[in-house]
Amino acid sequence: MAKSPQAKNAPAKRRTSDIPFGHDPASRLLPWVVAVMVYIAGLSIAGALVLSAFADRWESGLIGAMTVQIPPPADDAIDTDYQDGLVRKAVAAILETPGVEKAEPLATEEMRRLLEPWLGKSIDPRDLPLPSLISVEFKDGLTAGDLDLRDLQRRVDAVAPGAILDDHGQWQARLVSFLESLRLVAAVLVAIVTLAGLIMVIFAVRGGLLAHRQTIELLHLVGAVDGYIAAQFQREAMKAGFKGGLLGLTATAATVVGLGHGAASTGAVLPGVAVLDPTDWVILCLLPVATALISVAAARVTVLRALAKMV
Amino acid sequence: MPLSRRFRALKAAHFRAGFGGIRCWGAIGRNRLNETFRVIRFENVGMRYGTGPEVLRDVSFDLPDGSFHFLTGASGAGKSSLLRLMYLAQRPSRGLISIFDRDLSTIPRKELPMLRRKIGVVYQDFRLLDHLTTFENVALPLKVKGASEGVVRKHVGELLAWVGLNDQAHARPATLSGGQQQRAAIARAVVTRPQILLADEPTGNVDDAYAVRLLFLLQELHRQGTTVVIATHNHALIERFRHPVLHLEDGILSRVGEDPVYDG
Ligand SMILES: Nc1ncnc2c1ncn2[C@@H]1O[C@H](COP(=O)(O)OP(=O)(O)OP(=O)(O)O)[C@@H](O)[C@H]1O
Ligand SMILES: [Mg+2]
């Protein structure tokens, strides 16, 4: 509706706005409110990005290996030698599988160490009907998905029927779903903060409409279309949104960098936590642009709807 | 000094000061003036503010193209309210208003700005924007309709010269005298060469001599084809300029001087 007069308006658009913004408290406060919102949203997003990087790293750390379980004999008679024979044959079979670098039975000593807290020192784990475990490592860069697991299963079954391949999939799936829910929390937080910011912008614009009612009526009476008046509110909202966005981003960046230093000082315990990739920083830097755009849209809709009710 | 001589002296001063014409308007194409064309028509119009009583009742009149009318009436009679209807700041609560032959009740809201751009208004309280300079205030109607900067500079400069405010172009309204503000308001009202000029008590707070001078300014616009309505209490002016009078009494309109004298 405002198209043609707006487009031709460029030269006269300069310096001063027709509406004296900056005199009403709501519009002065807006950038700070936006900054707080952006800070919360920025930290949530940064957290989500760090979690993704974390999950990726863990995944790649785990994925180069798997475990094969050789079940104990079904009857009570435990024949250790027979069991050891099965394990040896299984190891040989596994090693023949393409993509496998290493296959080693978990030593009794190690098994004992793992079970000791539960069983006490006096019991030999080999006296218990425990499965024997074979730790399998893949060739460089390969993951369980790259191997023909069915072929491996067939080979192992041929020598030790009932063997179970465990590629940590279940454990991993749990970790992934946990991280996923953390990310969902971050997303919900961002959504809530966006909504709250939107409401703040709308209220600030409504306050402005009320504060500048007289000026707006005059603009209408000298022939301004609604879009012309809305454009002035949009420009103001854009300034507030961008300014608030920059402030919030600065605070977010300071916090993330600070946390990064903190994580680095713990040494290897939290490797890489709170360190964002360049792409992650680009995403964070888009926040002021996003807040500016959201503010503009909110201002436009609010003003046009309010003006439509005027004479 | 007798009044008539004072007027003559003022008129001479007025022309000496270079207020003789608005050059940029040139030979404006309003010589196809059609006095049978009714620029404004009211039929049985009633108006109330909110749920209050009717402040205008059964108002019917029409104004031919290029006419000049005074609007009189006691304070509170409804002059400003009638003008508000004419400059489309208010909708009537009943009756029919047509402006430029268009029925207001059927005009979609988004077409109102185009109509308003053809109506210049001098408000009773001027309504200049405090944070803008005189120049920017006068430029507002042009800016709002998207005029180029060149056009704005030319027309506004010309008009500021016409009303004698060149030196105050960059002053804020608050630093202007009452009369200067009034002239700025007049300049803003006519900067778009409106077809209708409505002035609400433009002589309300200036002395008689000054009032006459303002009337000369408005009369000049009328001579160039603008339809003019001036609300005023000033009977000396009405006597002097002898234009037909619309008289309001308690919200009811009567016409005085039905046989209009268009003394250009
Ligand atoms: N905004 C408003 N809300 C409610 N009532 C109003 C409003 N403006 C004017 N009125 C009422 O309408 C009636 C006419 O007022 P109006 O201002 O039109 O009179 P006027 O003839 O212009 O008076 P004056 O010569 O003092 O300017 C008055 O009774 C006034 O109280
Ligand atoms: Mg009045």
Side-chain angles (χ1 to χ4, degrees):
Chain A
M1 68 197 289
K3 225 173 80 216
S4 62
Q6 284 295 312
K8 279 186 283 170
N9 198 35
K13 217 177 212 169
R14 21 97 280 197
R15 322 160 298 265
T16 39
S17 165
D18 301 333
I19 301 169
F21 294 107
H23 292 290
D24 50 316
S27 78
R28 266 198 311 230
L29 204 62
L30 191 57
W32 296 99
V33 175
V34 172
V36 173
M37 304 291 176
V38 169
Y39 182 58
I40 299 172
L43 284 186
S44 307
I45 292 171
L49 291 171
V50 166
L51 283 179
S52 304
F54 212 41
D56 285 350
R57 263 180 225 124
W58 273 7
E59 230 168 9
S60 57
L62 285 170
I63 266 165
M66 66 183 286
T67 312
V68 176
Q69 286 181 29
I70 309 296
D75 50 29
D76 288 345
I78 295 165
D79 184 344
T80 331
D81 291 336
Y82 174 69
Q83 180 84 358
D84 284 349
L86 281 185
V87 169
R88 260 196 311 282
K89 277 187 248 167
V91 166
I94 293 168
L95 281 173
E96 276 166 24
T97 313
V100 172
E101 171 81 28
K102 225 162 94 181
E104 279 180 338
L106 234 56
T108 321
E109 204 44 45
E110 205 165 332
M111 210 67 109
R112 197 199 300 274
R113 193 170 51 73
L114 285 171
L115 290 173
E116 211 172 59
W118 285 277
L119 302 176
K121 276 188 182 129
S122 54
I123 300 171
D124 186 344
R126 293 217 286 179
D127 293 342
L128 296 170
L130 290 175
S132 305
L133 298 179
I134 302 169
S135 149
V136 180
E137 280 177 37
F138 306 139
K139 292 215 165 89
D140 238 13
L142 293 184
T143 67
D146 297 325
L147 266 71
D148 187 349
L149 290 182
R150 236 178 278 154
D151 174 46
L152 182 60
Q153 180 82 60
R154 234 183 351 260
R155 285 167 197 266
V156 179
D157 271 345
V159 290
I164 298 166
L165 303 189
D166 178 4
D167 61 355
H168 313 298
Q170 219 182 2
W171 185 81
Q172 213 170 285
R174 258 183 241 146
L175 176 73
V176 166
S177 79
F178 172 65
L179 291 177
E180 214 94 275
S181 48
L182 278 184
R183 264 191 290 196
L184 190 67
V185 170
V188 168
L189 215 56
V190 170
I192 288 174
V193 164
T194 306
L195 197 68
L198 213 57
I199 291 171
M200 284 306 302
V201 172
I202 289 172
F203 271 87
V205 168
R206 286 203 189 147
L209 282 167
L210 210 61
H212 304 297
R213 210 176 43 244
Q214 306 268 351
T215 307
I216 291 167
E217 198 201 12
L218 181 79
L219 287 174
H220 267 150
L221 292 180
V222 298
V225 294
D226 291 348
Y228 177 90
I229 296 166
Q232 309 218 357
F233 277 89
Q234 283 164 235
R235 223 174 306 148
E236 196 60 20
M238 177 151 83
K239 275 194 269 175
F242 194 68
K243 216 159 100 183
L246 276 185
L247 277 170
L249 175 64
T250 310
T252 306
T255 308
V256 169
V257 169
L259 283 179
H261 280 301
S265 71
T266 63
V269 180
L270 290 168
V273 179
V275 175
L276 293 177
D277 291 344
T279 36
D280 297 345
W281 281 112
V282 170
I283 292 173
L284 284 182
C285 285
L286 288 177
L287 276 176
V289 179
T291 50
L293 289 179
I294 291 172
S295 306
V296 166
R300 180 170 180 82
V301 172
T302 310
V303 172
L304 289 182
R305 286 180 61 160
L307 294 186
K309 287 184 204 136
M310 293 176 76
V311 181
Chain B
M1 184 158 51
L3 205 63
S4 58
R5 262 186 60 201
R6 214 164 86 196
F7 284 148
R8 234 174 286 131
L10 263 164
K11 194 169 182 182
H14 166 76
F15 282 108
R16 266 203 311 281
F19 297 174
I22 311 174
R23 251 164 298 131
C24 67
W25 287 11
I28 64 172
R30 305 219 3 109
N31 40 10
R32 34 169 185 78
L33 202 81
N34 177 5
E35 277 171 24
T36 57
F37 175 56
R38 302 312 192 202
V39 179
I40 298 178
R41 263 178 56 213
F42 275 52
E43 270 175 41
N44 299 315
V45 170
M47 172 191 157
R48 58 176 88 237
Y49 289 98
T51 54
E54 276 200 323
V55 297
L56 293 174
R57 279 175 287 157
D58 294 315
V59 171
S60 299
F61 68 94
D62 46 38
L63 301 182
D65 195 14
S67 61
F68 192 124
H69 285 81
F70 286 117
L71 175 61
T72 61
S75 179
K79 300 184 294 296
S80 298
S81 305
L82 185 59
L83 290 177
R84 277 183 74 79
L85 288 177
M86 289 196 239
Y87 60 76
L88 315 182
Q90 203 96 32
R91 298 240 187 207
S93 34
R94 62 188 173 90
L96 183 132
I97 297 178
S98 67
I99 310 266
F100 303 119
D101 238 356
R102 302 210 42 197
D103 181 357
L104 270 196
S105 60
T106 63
I107 294 179
R109 210 186 94 81
K110 65 174 186 186
E111 283 180 31
L112 290 179
M114 299 308 151
L115 277 185
R116 285 173 176 145
R117 287 172 193 181
K118 297 183 190 167
I119 305 171
V121 188
V122 183
Y123 303 95
Q124 196 163 3
D125 51 356
F126 314 144
R127 293 220 201 174
L128 298 169
L129 298 184
D130 285 337
H131 65 292
L132 300 183
T133 64
T134 307
F135 185 97
E136 288 165 338
N137 266 292
V138 174
L140 199 58
L142 289 173
K143 186 184 166 191
V144 148
K145 70 175 201 177
S148 75
E149 199 161 6
V151 169
V152 169
R153 223 175 305 124
K154 183 161 167 259
H155 285 235
V156 176
E158 196 97 29
L159 275 170
L160 285 177
W162 182 60
V163 297
L165 281 180
N166 257 343
D167 296 341
Q168 277 78 30
H170 299 293
R172 310 263 155 187
T175 67
L176 299 181
S177 74
Q180 287 170 333
Q181 290 184 25
Q182 199 141 33
R183 281 181 279 156
I186 291 174
R188 183 184 62 192
V190 302
V191 74
T192 51
R193 289 173 56 184
Q195 281 168 255
I196 300 175
L197 178 69
L198 307 174
D200 199 349
E201 312 242 9
T203 60
N205 35 14
V206 295
D207 61 61
D208 282 354
Y210 205 93
V212 170
R213 210 173 132 171
L214 283 178
L215 252 287
F216 276 123
L217 288 184
L218 301 177
Q219 183 122 310
E220 191 179 328
L221 296 168
H222 163 57
R223 207 179 294 128
Q224 299 189 42
T226 311
T227 305
V228 180
V229 178
I230 297 174
T232 183
H233 288 297
N234 191 328
H235 285 279
L237 278 187
I238 298 168
E239 297 271 296
R240 162 104 181 99
F241 286 89
R242 305 185 58 75
H243 290 297
V245 172
L246 299 167
H247 184 71
L248 267 174
E249 211 165 314
D250 215 5
I252 295 176
L253 188 94
S254 55
R255 274 187 111 134
V256 184
E258 282 295 347
D259 217 3
V261 190
Y262 296 113
D263 59 340

